[in-house]
Amino acid sequence: MRRISFGVLLIAFSTLVLEVMLTRAFDVTLAPNISYFVVTLAVFSFGLAGIYATLRPIPIEQDIRGILRTRSFAFAVTVLLLVPVINALPLDYTHLGHHPVKVLSAFAALYVALLLPFFLAGYILIAVFSKYAASIQRLYFWDLIGAGLGTVLVIPLIAKIGPGGLIVCAAAVALLAAALFSERRSWTKTAVIAAIVVAAIPFLRAPHYIDFDEHIDKRGVMTDLKAGLGEFVRWDPISKINVIDQKWTPQKAAPWWPFGDRKVIQYDGGNQSSYFYPFDGDLKKFRAYIDRDKSHIKAHFWQIGVLASHYLKRDSGQSVLVIGSAGGQETKAALVYGAAHVDAVELVPTVVELATGRYSSYIGDIFHNPAVHAVAGEGRSFLRHSDRLYDIIQMYSNYTNSSVAQGTGALSPEYLQTAEAYQEYFSHLTPNGVLHINHSAFPRMINTAALAWRRMGRTDFQRHVAVYTSDAEPFLPTMLIKMQPWTAAEIDELNAFLAPPELAASYRQHLAENPLDPSKSFLSADFYSGDFPSALAERMPVDANPRTDNRPYFGLMRKSFKILTPDPARFLDAGTAGYVNTSMLNGIIPMDVIHLFVTAAASLLFVILFVFVPLRFSKIGREEGATALPLLVYFSCLGAGFIILELVFIQKFMHLIGSPLYTYSTVIFTVLFSAGVGSASSERLGIGTNRRWALPFVAILIVGGALVAFYPALSRLALALPLPGRMLASSLMMFPLGFFLGMPFPLGILAISNQPRGAIAWAWGMNGLFTVVGGLLSVVLGVLLGFNFTIMLALAIYALAFAVFPRLRAMAPQTQGREVAAAGAHPTTA
């Protein structure tokens, strides 16, 4: 039975590796939101396997080892075929309006290709759980441990062999599972040899990847790579990084690239970009050059606004923090204007490595300047552990689209643009320091910063804020918040500097928010109050309400599916309108939220399928007194409740751990590991259908409520710890709840173990279905009502499962005999 148990671990491991790596691959080849619904729809097939097994249950007397062996082999084969199939399909959804049949057919074929491996993996686990139901507490332990390992072991390997290589390795692991499930010595040897050969392929190819082809020409990446301009590629654990050599010619001139050679850093296939600008390292000469003539400023910086705060604080021995240092343009600006100390923090370690190594001389060795301290890390986490006060804190359009870094991929939380983040910025500025941010949607930025200002007990915020915009780049206004009120001399200096006559008119920046004369500002005083009126919020054509750590979705501003036009009367500026409009594919399809609607529609379809088909055609559904309703409600509650807590914890503990990647791995592994330990321990604790069955539910409600109540205080204590300490503290906070979360699912399986064949498969299907539904629900509720409310809802869902369990328990054997009988025999969802 040990071989069965370890086989379960390997299948769970392979499935999670496959899911996580597909998510990362589609982040790059398509887009993060597209990857969310593509993989989510595929995971529905996990539940679909449960429905199939409900309609065609395996006879109780049948030896299932042959089934497990062949299905595991088939799983491995379908996984191996994924990369070539995905690469061959025309998946450019931007062509949907012109070639709808072709694009929709390609996505249908993609869905079938993804359905097969997930279906087979789900069927393997269902077969084991159904056959060895009495050992479910131990088998569930191996399932969860395998899934937990699958989420963390990929991180150190992704840079070496990439998602494609890891998917191949997942197939190799499935072959090992097939070897374990087999009792035939010849088959076992063959499967083990095949697994070794398959697993060796991506490592033998390294440093070349078994890679996915680009499907969408995001920011011209496909064109540049086909032209042979790619110089470097690496799958960093956070983002895939391509560096592309772009030589400017007059034929390539465009408003966003009027002149100048550069190296383009493309994140995740063009979801974001930054640049290495050529520089000879002579700061004094360069200072004299730009002081004399700013006409070619875009050959050295993204826009003139990058320089604003540094020019203002020039030659004062200023201390600077750059959050999102990327290719170094902000660091160079700080050095040019005489900064004495620069902390340059960048989230993606590969970019730090390139800036300090391979491309260091190209950018003038700025990161080797004695004043500069380059750090790979997350900005807020860095600030929490710094006691330095800065004259300038600067951020330029920095966020990450990586679904692994975000934790879900459904929407993009921006923890650098919340009221709590602004409080941290303000508290780390000198008495006359400047917060300098270039980011989209300045009305929401100001609103959010105003809330932070008010929370800190400060007043008269409008006198501290200046915003500059340009016609060429309305998406990235320059917002400057000074801890002391602006003076007329300072504003005059900035006005002259940001709109020099030699610079093309469209690139000149003009004052949109005037701290000296609010009557000349675009926004009303309400945006600066820190208490944004609900009536004004309702009147605006976009959602401009402030963001908090409890509701961090800064970029989600859409109120309608119309193309927006600037509307000064309702405070809609051109940049914000354009930012919202960019997500409208062909002016019709809202790509920022369409994945949520598609997933919701698919969820409704699968709910109908998973409920009514078994009710009509399965033995368990037709059996009189089988009491299908408690089974449906109970296992649906467990699927939804578990995933809601898991996903919301990723967002909650991001505040404490800091690094998105480490948060993701810590939360997922801790929850799954602790749940596995809880499942295995429940047998030893004597928890069964006839005694102590209420303990897990009561504990979940008490421990979960306590975690919500005490998290703020506990997190404040843990913030002083280094990263490993914060990760450990987070794990200790989550472990007790995770421990008890692992008990209700095996308890429910024990309760229905004497029901007609197919009952366990149906329970699995409903659990898997509502895992997806719960994931969608966590996103929607997190946006609308915040994370704390969503956690309490998840606990309420467990309370409903608690209320339903007595009816499910009535279906169980009246003694513990069956639970004990198989105790000597040993075999994800929750």
Side-chain angles (χ1 to χ4, degrees):
M1 201 58 199
R2 290 178 180 175
R3 293 178 65 162
I4 294 289
S5 299
F6 199 63
V8 167
L9 180 147
L10 294 181
I11 291 297
F13 176 89
S14 299
T15 304
L16 260 293
V17 170
L18 177 63
E19 182 179 345
V20 173
M21 289 301 99
L22 284 172
T23 301
R24 285 297 296 119
F26 289 133
D27 278 355
V28 175
T29 60
L30 298 174
N33 53 358
I34 301 298
S35 78
Y36 169 80
F37 89 73
V38 167
V39 177
T40 295
L41 291 180
V43 173
F44 274 127
S45 57
F46 228 53
L48 194 62
I51 302 309
Y52 176 81
T54 303
L55 300 176
R56 299 190 62 181
I58 302 171
I60 186 75
E61 68 280 358
Q62 182 174 341
D63 184 356
I64 66 168
R65 291 179 183 269
I67 293 175
L68 300 180
R69 181 187 69 239
T70 57
R71 301 303 188 275
S72 297
F73 182 80
F75 173 53
V77 172
T78 56
V79 170
L80 283 173
L81 290 173
L82 279 176
V83 175
V85 169
I86 292 171
N87 285 344
L89 292 173
L91 297 172
D92 188 348
Y93 61 81
T94 63
H95 292 166
L96 185 61
H98 300 292
H99 306 287
V101 175
K102 180 180 177 181
V103 174
L104 291 175
S105 297
F107 273 93
L110 174 65
Y111 178 66
V112 172
L114 295 176
L115 180 148
L116 291 173
F118 285 108
F119 179 91
L120 290 165
Y123 189 80
I124 293 164
L125 296 176
I126 292 164
V128 172
F129 291 167
S130 298
K131 178 70 174 181
Y132 305 104
S135 299
I136 185 63
Q137 288 155 311
R138 275 168 284 173
L139 288 171
Y140 194 49
F141 164 80
W142 291 106
D143 177 28
L144 292 174
I145 294 301
L149 291 173
T151 62
V152 297
L153 293 184
V154 299
I155 295 173
L157 290 175
I158 191 171
K160 184 173 182 61
I161 61 175
L166 280 163
I167 287 174
V168 170
C169 288
V173 172
L175 289 172
L176 288 178
L180 287 170
F181 290 140
S182 175
E183 291 185 323
R184 295 164 54 184
R185 189 180 297 268
S186 60
W187 177 278
T188 299
K189 287 183 178 179
T190 301
V192 170
I193 292 172
I196 294 172
V197 171
V198 169
I201 293 172
F203 291 96
L204 292 174
R205 284 178 55 88
H208 302 290
Y209 293 120
I210 299 172
D211 219 344
F212 291 87
D213 294 340
E214 306 287 342
H215 290 290
I216 301 173
D217 198 12
K218 295 179 285 187
R219 305 190 188 216
V221 173
M222 283 178 61
T223 301
D224 288 337
L225 292 178
K226 288 178 180 178
L229 300 178
E231 291 188 342
F232 175 89
V233 58
R234 179 183 293 170
W235 280 93
D236 185 275
I238 293 179
S239 293
K240 182 184 181 183
I241 299 299
N242 290 91
V243 179
I244 295 171
D245 182 30
Q246 288 190 340
K247 301 293 187 183
W248 183 86
T249 65
Q251 292 74 29
K252 295 179 181 179
W256 56 90
W257 189 21
F259 28 64
D261 298 343
R262 60 195 185 182
K263 310 284 188 181
V264 185
I265 309 167
Q266 298 285 14
Y267 297 74
D268 281 347
N271 289 338
Q272 298 165 260
S273 299
S274 186
Y275 300 107
F276 289 128
Y277 292 100
F279 177 47
D280 64 7
D282 191 332
L283 296 168
K284 185 176 180 180
K285 183 178 72 173
F286 186 67
R287 166 80 172 267
Y289 164 70
I290 60 174
D291 282 348
R292 182 178 66 253
D293 181 6
K294 300 179 181 63
S295 61
H296 280 62
I297 201 74
K298 281 185 70 65
H300 309 282
F301 300 95
W302 196 301
Q303 57 161 271
I304 194 170
V306 173
L307 302 166
S309 59
H310 306 289
Y311 175 76
L312 185 72
K313 294 289 185 179
R314 62 193 181 279
D315 304 326
S316 60
Q318 63 270 28
S319 179
V320 178
L321 170 63
V322 177
I323 298 178
S325 55
Q329 61 168 335
E330 301 95 332
T331 303
K332 180 170 66 177
L335 294 175
V336 164
Y337 285 107
H341 180 96
V342 182
D343 286 326
V345 182
E346 167 58 38
L347 182 64
V348 184
T350 293
V351 176
V352 177
E353 178 186 326
L354 292 173
T356 57
R358 178 169 178 162
Y359 291 99
S360 180
S361 61
Y362 184 84
I363 59 176
D365 290 317
I366 55 175
F367 286 102
H368 292 143
N369 187 293
V372 177
H373 309 272
V375 178
E378 191 272 334
R380 286 183 63 181
S381 177
F382 179 87
L383 268 179
R384 290 187 206 117
H385 298 89
S386 172
D387 56 5
R388 178 180 289 272
L389 294 181
Y390 296 95
D391 298 293
I392 298 170
I393 296 177
Q394 182 175 18
M395 295 182 291
Y396 192 93
S397 185
N398 52 320
Y399 59 96
T400 177
N401 278 315
S402 166
S403 293
V404 171
Q406 295 167 13
T408 64
L411 292 172
S412 300
E414 294 185 45
Y415 285 96
L416 293 174
Q417 287 291 342
T418 67
E420 291 83 354
Y422 278 94
Q423 286 179 255
E424 290 177 8
Y425 306 148
F426 294 150
S427 65
H428 280 82
L429 284 168
T430 57
N432 199 30
V434 176
L435 175 63
H436 178 177
I437 299 180
N438 292 86
H439 197 281
S440 56
F442 75 82
R444 173 168 270 181
M445 279 200 294
I446 289 175
N447 219 348
T448 301
L451 176 59
W453 193 266
R454 183 169 175 262
R455 285 178 175 179
M456 297 176 73
R458 301 178 69 99
T459 59
D460 206 13
F461 184 51
Q462 193 163 10
R463 294 179 61 204
H464 298 256
V465 182
V467 176
Y468 288 83
T469 61
S470 69
D471 295 335
E473 294 171 302
F475 299 113
L476 291 172
T478 302
M479 182 177 76
L480 303 166
I481 302 177
K482 198 158 74 73
M483 299 308 289
Q484 294 293 325
W486 288 97
T487 66
E490 290 169 333
I491 294 298
D492 288 342
E493 267 195 306
L494 285 174
N495 288 344
F497 179 80
L498 293 173
E502 68 271 20
L503 188 64
S506 62
Y507 296 123
R508 297 174 196 164
Q509 298 207 346
H510 304 283
L511 193 60
E513 293 299 306
N514 190 331
L516 304 178
D517 187 354
S519 66
K520 295 180 180 178
S521 292
F522 184 83
L523 300 177
S524 70
D526 290 319
F527 286 83
Y528 296 87
S529 67
D531 186 16
F532 195 55
S534 57
L536 177 55
E538 288 293 323
R539 189 165 65 89
M540 290 187 66
V542 296
D543 181 0
N545 283 298
R547 298 294 85 183
T548 66
D549 282 352
N550 192 44
R551 300 175 66 184
Y553 299 107
F554 184 91
L556 191 62
M557 306 185 72
R558 180 179 304 284
K559 280 188 176 182
S560 72
F561 301 133
K562 300 176 181 177
I563 294 294
L564 301 176
T565 56
D567 186 353
R570 294 194 293 168
F571 306 110
L572 179 61
D573 63 291
T576 302
Y579 169 73
V580 176
N581 289 339
T582 53
S583 61
M584 294 293 290
L585 179 63
N586 297 324
I588 301 173
I589 304 173
M591 297 305 296
D592 51 344
V593 294
I594 188 63
H595 55 298
L596 301 180
F597 287 98
V598 172
T599 305
S603 298
L604 179 61
L605 174 64
F606 279 103
V607 165
I608 295 171
L609 175 68
F610 285 21
V611 172
F612 291 106
V613 170
L615 279 176
R616 177 67 178 84
F617 297 104
S618 72
K619 185 176 180 181
I620 176 65
R622 297 194 308 267
E623 175 120 341
E624 185 176 352
T627 323
L629 184 61
L631 181 153
L632 297 176
V633 173
Y634 182 80
F635 286 98
S636 299
C637 285
L638 299 190
F642 191 94
I643 195 66
I644 289 173
L645 290 172
E646 188 175 65
L647 294 181
V648 174
F649 281 171
I650 292 172
Q651 309 301 337
K652 287 286 290 183
F653 283 91
M654 195 87 73
H655 166 261
L656 174 54
I657 297 174
S659 168
L661 183 65
Y662 286 116
T663 302
Y664 175 84
S665 58
T666 299
V667 171
I668 298 296
F669 179 77
T670 299
V671 172
L672 294 177
F673 176 78
S674 58
V677 172
S679 176
S681 301
S682 61
E683 186 177 21
R684 294 182 176 84
L685 293 173
I687 296 172
T689 56
N690 292 325
R691 64 194 197 95
R692 298 184 180 177
W693 57 268
L695 174 62
F697 299 101
V698 174
I700 287 170
L701 298 177
I702 293 175
V703 175
L707 182 58
V708 172
F710 294 110
Y711 173 79
L714 293 173
S715 64
R716 280 195 295 271
L717 292 174
L719 278 173
L721 299 172
L723 177 61
R726 300 198 306 277
M727 293 171 65
L728 178 60
S730 300
S731 295
L732 291 175
M733 280 187 253
M734 287 181 283
F735 190 93
L737 180 58
F739 180 82
F740 292 108
L741 288 175
M743 298 179 181
F745 181 82
L747 189 62
I749 296 296
L750 289 173
I752 63 173
S753 60
N754 69 325
Q755 290 299 301
R757 302 297 295 165
I760 292 175
W762 197 8
W764 171 275
M766 295 306 298
N767 184 265
L769 167 65
F770 276 87
T771 295
V772 178
V773 174
L776 176 65
L777 194 62
S778 73
V779 173
V780 174
L781 291 176
V783 170
L784 297 178
L785 300 169
F787 295 139
N788 288 334
F789 177 90
T790 308
I791 291 175
M792 297 308 295
L793 176 68
L795 297 179
I797 290 172
Y798 271 98
L800 177 58
F802 184 22
V804 170
F805 187 76
R807 293 191 62 187
L808 200 69
R809 177 173 170 266
M811 303 159 63
Q814 294 305 304
T815 70
Q816 291 290 104
R818 179 161 185 144
E819 297 167 20
V820 175
H826 297 274
T828 151
T829 54

